[in-house]
Short mmCIF file of all heavy atoms in Angstrom, two decimals:
data_model
loop_
_atom_site.label_atom_id
_atom_site.label_comp_id
_atom_site.label_asym_id
_atom_site.label_seq_id
_atom_site.Cartn_x
_atom_site.Cartn_y
_atom_site.Cartn_z
N SER A 1 97.51 92.54 114.09
CA SER A 1 96.19 93.17 114.20
C SER A 1 96.34 94.52 114.89
O SER A 1 97.17 94.69 115.78
CB SER A 1 95.23 92.28 114.98
OG SER A 1 95.61 92.21 116.32
N ARG A 2 95.58 95.45 114.42
CA ARG A 2 95.60 96.79 114.99
C ARG A 2 94.18 97.17 115.37
O ARG A 2 93.24 96.86 114.66
CB ARG A 2 96.12 97.81 113.98
CG ARG A 2 97.56 97.64 113.66
CD ARG A 2 98.03 98.72 112.70
NE ARG A 2 97.66 98.35 111.33
CZ ARG A 2 96.95 99.10 110.51
NH1 ARG A 2 96.51 100.25 110.87
NH2 ARG A 2 96.69 98.69 109.30
N GLU A 3 94.06 97.84 116.48
CA GLU A 3 92.75 98.27 116.93
C GLU A 3 92.22 99.41 116.07
O GLU A 3 91.06 99.44 115.71
CB GLU A 3 92.83 98.71 118.39
CG GLU A 3 91.48 98.90 119.03
CD GLU A 3 91.61 99.17 120.51
OE1 GLU A 3 92.28 98.40 121.21
OE2 GLU A 3 91.02 100.18 120.94
N LYS A 4 93.09 100.36 115.75
CA LYS A 4 92.67 101.53 115.00
C LYS A 4 93.41 101.63 113.67
O LYS A 4 94.59 101.28 113.58
CB LYS A 4 92.96 102.81 115.79
CG LYS A 4 92.12 102.99 117.02
CD LYS A 4 92.45 104.32 117.66
CE LYS A 4 91.53 104.64 118.81
NZ LYS A 4 91.81 105.98 119.38
N LYS A 5 92.74 102.12 112.67
CA LYS A 5 93.37 102.40 111.38
C LYS A 5 94.26 103.63 111.54
O LYS A 5 94.00 104.50 112.36
CB LYS A 5 92.31 102.65 110.32
CG LYS A 5 91.42 101.45 110.07
CD LYS A 5 91.36 101.15 108.62
CE LYS A 5 90.44 99.98 108.38
NZ LYS A 5 91.15 98.80 108.01
N ILE A 6 95.31 103.69 110.73
CA ILE A 6 96.25 104.80 110.77
C ILE A 6 95.90 105.79 109.67
O ILE A 6 95.86 105.44 108.49
CB ILE A 6 97.70 104.30 110.59
CG1 ILE A 6 98.07 103.32 111.70
CG2 ILE A 6 98.67 105.47 110.53
CD1 ILE A 6 99.37 102.58 111.46
N VAL A 7 95.67 107.05 110.07
CA VAL A 7 95.38 108.12 109.13
C VAL A 7 96.55 109.09 109.15
O VAL A 7 96.87 109.68 110.19
CB VAL A 7 94.07 108.86 109.47
CG1 VAL A 7 93.84 110.03 108.53
CG2 VAL A 7 92.89 107.89 109.42
N LEU A 8 97.20 109.24 107.99
CA LEU A 8 98.32 110.16 107.83
C LEU A 8 97.78 111.47 107.26
O LEU A 8 97.06 111.47 106.27
CB LEU A 8 99.35 109.58 106.87
CG LEU A 8 99.83 108.15 107.13
CD1 LEU A 8 100.73 107.67 106.00
CD2 LEU A 8 100.53 108.06 108.46
N VAL A 9 98.14 112.58 107.90
CA VAL A 9 97.64 113.88 107.46
C VAL A 9 98.82 114.81 107.21
O VAL A 9 99.68 114.99 108.07
CB VAL A 9 96.71 114.51 108.52
CG1 VAL A 9 96.18 115.85 108.05
CG2 VAL A 9 95.55 113.59 108.85
N ASP A 10 98.85 115.38 106.01
CA ASP A 10 99.86 116.37 105.66
C ASP A 10 99.61 117.64 106.47
O ASP A 10 98.52 117.85 107.00
CB ASP A 10 99.76 116.66 104.15
CG ASP A 10 100.73 117.71 103.68
OD1 ASP A 10 101.87 117.75 104.19
OD2 ASP A 10 100.35 118.50 102.80
N CYS A 11 100.59 118.50 106.54
CA CYS A 11 100.44 119.73 107.32
C CYS A 11 100.15 120.93 106.41
O CYS A 11 99.04 121.45 106.41
CB CYS A 11 101.70 119.96 108.16
SG CYS A 11 101.45 121.20 109.42
N ASP A 12 101.14 121.39 105.65
CA ASP A 12 100.95 122.59 104.83
C ASP A 12 99.94 122.33 103.71
O ASP A 12 100.07 121.37 102.96
CB ASP A 12 102.29 123.04 104.23
CG ASP A 12 103.26 123.47 105.31
OD1 ASP A 12 102.83 124.17 106.23
OD2 ASP A 12 104.44 123.10 105.22
N GLY A 13 98.94 123.18 103.65
CA GLY A 13 97.90 123.04 102.63
C GLY A 13 96.72 122.21 103.09
O GLY A 13 95.68 122.21 102.45
N VAL A 14 96.87 121.49 104.19
CA VAL A 14 95.78 120.70 104.76
C VAL A 14 95.42 121.22 106.15
O VAL A 14 94.27 121.51 106.44
CB VAL A 14 96.13 119.19 104.81
CG1 VAL A 14 95.02 118.39 105.46
CG2 VAL A 14 96.43 118.66 103.40
N LEU A 15 96.42 121.34 107.00
CA LEU A 15 96.20 121.86 108.36
C LEU A 15 96.66 123.31 108.48
O LEU A 15 95.98 124.14 109.08
CB LEU A 15 96.98 121.02 109.39
CG LEU A 15 96.70 119.52 109.42
CD1 LEU A 15 97.59 118.84 110.45
CD2 LEU A 15 95.24 119.25 109.70
N ALA A 16 97.83 123.60 107.94
CA ALA A 16 98.45 124.92 108.07
C ALA A 16 98.32 125.71 106.76
O ALA A 16 98.56 125.17 105.68
CB ALA A 16 99.93 124.77 108.42
N ASP A 17 97.95 126.96 106.89
CA ASP A 17 97.80 127.83 105.72
C ASP A 17 99.15 128.45 105.35
O ASP A 17 99.43 129.62 105.64
CB ASP A 17 96.75 128.91 106.00
CG ASP A 17 96.31 129.62 104.74
OD1 ASP A 17 97.00 129.50 103.70
OD2 ASP A 17 95.27 130.31 104.79
N PHE A 18 99.98 127.63 104.74
CA PHE A 18 101.31 128.06 104.30
C PHE A 18 101.20 129.21 103.29
O PHE A 18 101.98 130.16 103.33
CB PHE A 18 102.05 126.87 103.67
CG PHE A 18 103.43 127.17 103.19
CD1 PHE A 18 104.50 127.14 104.06
CD2 PHE A 18 103.66 127.46 101.86
CE1 PHE A 18 105.79 127.41 103.63
CE2 PHE A 18 104.95 127.73 101.41
CZ PHE A 18 106.02 127.71 102.29
N CYS A 19 100.20 129.13 102.40
CA CYS A 19 100.03 130.17 101.39
C CYS A 19 99.82 131.54 102.02
O CYS A 19 100.42 132.52 101.58
CB CYS A 19 98.86 129.84 100.46
SG CYS A 19 99.18 128.47 99.33
N GLN A 20 98.98 131.62 103.05
CA GLN A 20 98.71 132.91 103.67
C GLN A 20 99.97 133.51 104.28
O GLN A 20 100.20 134.71 104.19
CB GLN A 20 97.61 132.80 104.73
CG GLN A 20 97.17 134.15 105.27
CD GLN A 20 96.61 135.07 104.19
OE1 GLN A 20 95.70 134.69 103.46
NE2 GLN A 20 97.17 136.26 104.06
N ALA A 21 100.81 132.67 104.88
CA ALA A 21 102.07 133.17 105.43
C ALA A 21 102.94 133.75 104.31
O ALA A 21 103.59 134.79 104.49
CB ALA A 21 102.81 132.06 106.16
N CYS A 22 102.92 133.10 103.15
CA CYS A 22 103.67 133.61 102.00
C CYS A 22 103.04 134.89 101.45
O CYS A 22 103.75 135.83 101.08
CB CYS A 22 103.76 132.55 100.91
SG CYS A 22 104.77 131.13 101.39
N PHE A 23 101.70 134.93 101.42
CA PHE A 23 101.02 136.16 100.98
C PHE A 23 101.40 137.33 101.88
O PHE A 23 101.62 138.45 101.41
CB PHE A 23 99.50 136.00 101.02
CG PHE A 23 98.93 134.97 100.09
CD1 PHE A 23 97.71 134.38 100.38
CD2 PHE A 23 99.59 134.57 98.94
CE1 PHE A 23 97.15 133.43 99.55
CE2 PHE A 23 99.05 133.61 98.10
CZ PHE A 23 97.82 133.04 98.40
N ASP A 24 101.44 137.08 103.18
CA ASP A 24 101.82 138.13 104.14
C ASP A 24 103.23 138.62 103.88
O ASP A 24 103.50 139.82 103.93
CB ASP A 24 101.68 137.62 105.58
CG ASP A 24 100.24 137.34 105.98
OD1 ASP A 24 99.30 137.78 105.28
OD2 ASP A 24 100.05 136.65 107.00
N LEU A 25 104.14 137.69 103.57
CA LEU A 25 105.52 138.06 103.27
C LEU A 25 105.59 138.89 101.99
O LEU A 25 106.28 139.90 101.93
CB LEU A 25 106.37 136.79 103.13
CG LEU A 25 107.84 137.06 102.83
CD1 LEU A 25 108.68 136.74 104.05
CD2 LEU A 25 108.29 136.21 101.66
N ILE A 26 104.82 138.49 100.97
CA ILE A 26 104.78 139.24 99.71
C ILE A 26 104.26 140.64 99.94
O ILE A 26 104.82 141.63 99.45
CB ILE A 26 103.92 138.49 98.66
CG1 ILE A 26 104.64 137.22 98.21
CG2 ILE A 26 103.61 139.40 97.47
CD1 ILE A 26 103.78 136.27 97.38
N GLN A 27 103.19 140.75 100.71
CA GLN A 27 102.62 142.06 100.99
C GLN A 27 103.61 142.94 101.74
O GLN A 27 103.75 144.13 101.46
CB GLN A 27 101.32 141.93 101.77
CG GLN A 27 100.61 143.26 101.97
CD GLN A 27 99.26 143.12 102.63
OE1 GLN A 27 98.86 142.03 103.06
NE2 GLN A 27 98.54 144.22 102.72
N GLU A 28 104.32 142.35 102.68
CA GLU A 28 105.32 143.09 103.45
C GLU A 28 106.41 143.67 102.54
O GLU A 28 106.88 144.79 102.75
CB GLU A 28 105.93 142.15 104.48
CG GLU A 28 107.04 142.72 105.32
CD GLU A 28 107.68 141.66 106.22
OE1 GLU A 28 106.94 140.78 106.73
OE2 GLU A 28 108.91 141.71 106.40
#
């Protein structure tokens, strides 16, 4: 038995804006 449910969250594209870092590199 567990008190809390486990929620798995991805990072890039969900929390972190990986695309923008790549856009910045392209612009550079």
Side-chain angles (χ1 to χ4, degrees):
S1 69
R2 292 183 278 124
E3 192 173 308
K4 292 183 173 183
K5 297 231 181 252
I6 300 169
V7 176
L8 309 174
V9 181
D10 178 37
C11 194
D12 296 317
V14 177
L15 304 178
D17 194 345
F18 181 84
C19 288
Q20 187 60 54
C22 293
F23 296 155
D24 293 345
L25 181 108
I26 290 169
Q27 186 175 6
E28 177 186 323

